[in-house]
C-alpha cells in the first residue's frame, strides 16, 4: 500500500471515532436512561455520569489525536503502538457487542 492510502486509512479510522457520538444520544433515548438514572441513588448516578463523560471524552480525544496526527502516527513507533492498541480495542469491543449482547440488544438499536 502506498503511504497516501495508509495515511487516508489512518485519518478515516480517526474520523470513525466520531460516528459513535450520535449513537450515544439514540441509545440514551431508546434505553430510557433518564428514567432509569432517577432510580439510582445520588452517588451511583454521579458515578455513571462520570464514567459516561470519561468514555465520551476518550473517544473524542482519541479521534482528534489520530485524525490530526496521522502523518506522525505512521512514522513513529509510538504511533504504531497507539494504532495497534486502538485496532485491538475496537475489534474486541465489536466482538463483545456482537457476541455478548447479540439478540438481547434492543431491536431499534441493532443498526448501531
Amino acid at each position: 500500500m502506498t503511504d497516501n492510502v495508509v495515511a487516508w486509512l489512518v485519518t478515516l479510522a480517526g474520523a470513525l471515532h466520531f460516528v459513535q457520538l450520535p449513537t450515544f444520544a439514540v441509545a440514551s433515548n431508546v434505553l430510557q436512561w433518564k428514567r432509569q438514572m432517577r432510580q439510582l441513588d445520588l452517588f451511583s448516578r454521579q458515578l455513571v455520569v462520570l464514567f459516561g463523560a470519561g468514555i465520551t471524552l476518550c473517544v473524542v480525544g482519541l479521534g482528534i489525536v489520530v485524525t490530526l496526527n496521522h502523518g506522525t502516527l505512521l512514522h513513529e513507533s509510538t504511533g504504531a503502538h497507539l494504532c495497534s492498541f486502538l485496532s485491538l480495542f475496537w475489534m474486541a469491543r465489536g466482538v463483545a457487542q456482537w457476541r455478548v449482547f447479540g439478540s438481547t440488544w434492543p431491536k431499534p438499536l441493532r443498526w448501531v
Side-chain angles (χ1 to χ4, degrees):
M1 257 190 272
T2 67
D3 280 349
N4 288 340
V5 172
V6 174
W8 182 85
L9 288 173
V10 172
T11 303
L12 177 64
L16 287 174
H17 279 81
F18 304 110
V19 170
Q20 288 196 71
L21 298 178
T23 63
F24 293 167
V26 170
S28 175
N29 290 332
V30 172
L31 298 175
Q32 302 174 359
W33 284 346
K34 286 184 182 181
R35 182 181 57 79
Q36 292 185 16
M37 291 284 280
R38 286 192 296 266
Q39 297 173 5
L40 298 175
D41 62 89
L42 178 62
F43 178 77
S44 297
R45 192 168 45 246
Q46 289 173 332
L47 198 59
V48 169
V49 169
L50 179 66
F51 287 168
I55 291 167
T56 302
L57 182 63
C58 284
V59 168
V60 170
L62 287 166
I64 290 169
V65 167
V66 171
T67 302
L68 294 179
N69 297 294
H70 67 268
T72 306
L73 293 175
L74 293 173
H75 302 291
E76 293 184 7
S77 63
T78 304
H81 295 144
L82 177 63
C83 289
S84 297
F85 166 73
L86 289 173
S87 297
L88 292 173
F89 173 80
W90 288 114
M91 184 172 44
R93 185 189 177 273
V95 168
Q97 185 169 330
W98 178 61
R99 299 276 293 162
V100 174
F101 294 112
S103 62
T104 62
W105 197 255
K107 286 186 181 190
L109 292 178
R110 292 212 179 134
W111 63 273
V112 178

